Amino acid sequence: MILIINTLLLCLNTAVSSVLICGLALIKAVLPIPLVQRPVTRACNYIMWVWSGLNHKLIDVTSRDLEWDVQGGEGLSKEQWYLLIANHLSWADIVVIFCVFRNRIPMAKFFIKQELLYVPFLGLACWAVDMPFMKRYSRNYLLRHPEKRGEDLKTTRRSCAKFKSTPTTVVNFVEGTRFTEEKQQTSKSPYGHLLPAKTGGVSYTLGAMGEQFDGIVNVTLAYPDNRAFPFRDLVGGKMGRIVVRIDVLPVEPALVGDNIQDKGFKKEFRCWLDALWQQKDQDLELIYGQTEKVPEVKTVVQN
């Protein structure tokens, strides 16, 4: 019963928020003036903040035994720019990221494909909240059209230009898809709890916005008691413990480069990301290997 009620309430919250954002999007479209668009964008971000807060409150009220185990992230600010990278286990990850970081860093933005901007309602809402879009060309396409090299990066940079005056968090799930044991075997992953990290998305984002980011927020997510169906258990009030580990990394100059044409940079970037993923896998091994909870490290996430 809790699962059904929570699902309906989450859908209602999302629907109302989307309608409000789409309404504001029409104002932005009709009045393409920075003096108008900036406060409208702030209003859209506020709606997202309220949306995530209501989701958080709903989860806490209906999950009496839920423990938020959050460590790290001291010194984060809503007045700075961040690239947030994380492992991906479930749809629950998005809800958790919004709940944990809504009062710590600027509202999260997810890169979307340029084609999605033309999807009714979805594209309008994404545009209204300034979701950055990208237009990427495949390697085969670039071989046939070498004159297009670098155009995708230029498109993304133009999309991200609006963030220069507004603190922003861009989110990237480095594995590119949700983790499952089947995908782990198919990809021949060298990790026990992760899929191989994909360099493209992270290096592409750093290449487009690297000079704007104040830090890289490396997030490790785990649901030790609910590994099979995290999202269903979260919505159904059966989630036992949500573990979030946060490590803030500097944006070194060596991390900003051309991952497509510069083979030397591509190799060095791959080594950096693989080392990061190896450490994340070790951290997850420790989390999943714990046999008892440690109350003194628990952090209660503020609503």
Side-chain angles (χ1 to χ4, degrees):
M1 181 60 71
I2 292 178
L3 176 62
I4 296 174
I5 294 174
N6 279 359
T7 299
L8 292 174
L9 290 175
L10 286 171
C11 289
L12 178 62
N13 184 25
T14 301
V16 171
S17 300
S18 298
V19 169
L20 292 174
I21 288 174
C22 284
L24 290 172
L26 294 176
I27 297 176
K28 289 184 68 173
V30 173
L31 298 172
I33 307 170
L35 190 62
V36 174
Q37 291 194 333
R38 287 171 186 167
V40 171
T41 298
R42 287 196 293 270
C44 290
N45 286 334
Y46 179 74
I47 293 172
M48 290 180 65
W49 182 82
V50 173
W51 169 81
S52 61
L54 290 175
N55 288 340
H56 190 185
K57 178 65 69 176
L58 179 64
I59 291 169
D60 280 348
V61 168
T62 57
S63 303
R64 298 293 183 180
D65 298 324
L66 174 59
E67 175 188 346
W68 290 88
D69 182 358
V70 182
Q71 296 182 42
E74 296 81 5
L76 291 173
S77 170
K78 297 186 74 172
E79 302 302 319
Q80 293 189 318
W81 285 255
Y82 298 106
L83 168 62
L84 189 153
I85 61 175
N87 58 309
H88 195 13
L89 297 165
S90 162
W91 290 346
D93 301 341
I94 297 175
V95 178
V96 169
I97 286 174
F98 274 110
C99 288
V100 171
F101 291 100
R102 60 189 288 271
N103 290 322
R104 295 185 176 206
I105 57 179
M107 192 56 60
K109 311 287 184 179
F110 295 82
F111 262 107
I112 62 173
K113 295 181 180 179
Q114 189 176 27
E115 292 76 10
L116 292 179
L117 289 173
Y118 306 104
V119 176
F121 299 108
L122 175 63
L124 188 62
C126 290
W127 175 78
V129 296
D130 285 343
M131 292 287 182
F133 62 89
M134 59 181 176
K135 184 175 183 179
R136 300 192 66 180
Y137 299 109
S138 67
R139 185 179 297 274
N140 290 334
Y141 179 86
L142 290 176
L143 288 175
R144 297 194 303 271
H145 302 276
E147 73 279 2
K148 292 293 185 179
R149 290 185 181 276
E151 286 297 319
D152 49 359
L153 190 58
K154 291 179 182 178
T155 299
T156 301
R157 281 177 172 159
R158 285 195 296 268
S159 173
C160 297
K162 67 192 73 174
F163 298 143
K164 289 184 178 180
S165 59
T166 304
T168 305
T169 300
V170 178
V171 180
N172 186 286
F173 290 115
V174 181
E175 294 155 300
T177 185
R178 287 172 289 163
F179 175 91
T180 66
E181 292 185 0
E182 181 180 357
K183 293 176 183 177
Q184 182 189 33
Q185 295 173 1
T186 302
S187 64
K188 298 181 180 179
S189 174
Y191 310 110
H193 307 286
L194 298 166
L195 299 178
K198 294 184 177 181
T199 61
V202 183
S203 64
Y204 191 81
T205 306
L206 286 170
M209 294 182 60
E211 70 281 357
Q212 293 178 235
F213 291 127
D214 293 294
I216 299 172
V217 183
N218 178 28
V219 179
T220 301
L221 301 169
Y223 313 98
D225 306 324
N226 307 82
R227 298 177 68 176
F229 303 102
F231 185 72
R232 187 191 68 182
D233 292 344
L234 180 65
V235 177
K238 297 181 179 179
M239 181 66 72
R241 183 161 61 114
I242 296 175
V243 178
V244 182
R245 298 291 180 263
I246 308 166
D247 185 23
V248 183
L249 309 172
V251 182
E252 302 288 352
L255 298 178
V256 181
D258 187 344
N259 195 54
I260 298 177
Q261 301 186 62
D262 189 337
K263 294 184 179 180
F265 170 79
K266 184 175 183 179
K267 182 178 180 180
E268 292 179 4
F269 193 88
R270 163 57 66 188
C271 290
W272 173 79
L273 191 57
D274 283 347
L276 200 67
W277 230 238
Q278 183 65 48
Q279 182 59 55
K280 188 181 293 288
D281 194 56
Q282 294 174 9
D283 293 341
L284 286 169
E285 181 65 30
L286 290 174
I287 292 169
Y288 290 129
Q290 292 178 346
T291 57
E292 59 182 8
K293 299 177 182 179
V294 186
E296 60 267 27
V297 300
K298 184 176 73 171
T299 300
V300 177
V301 180
Q302 298 289 332
N303 282 312

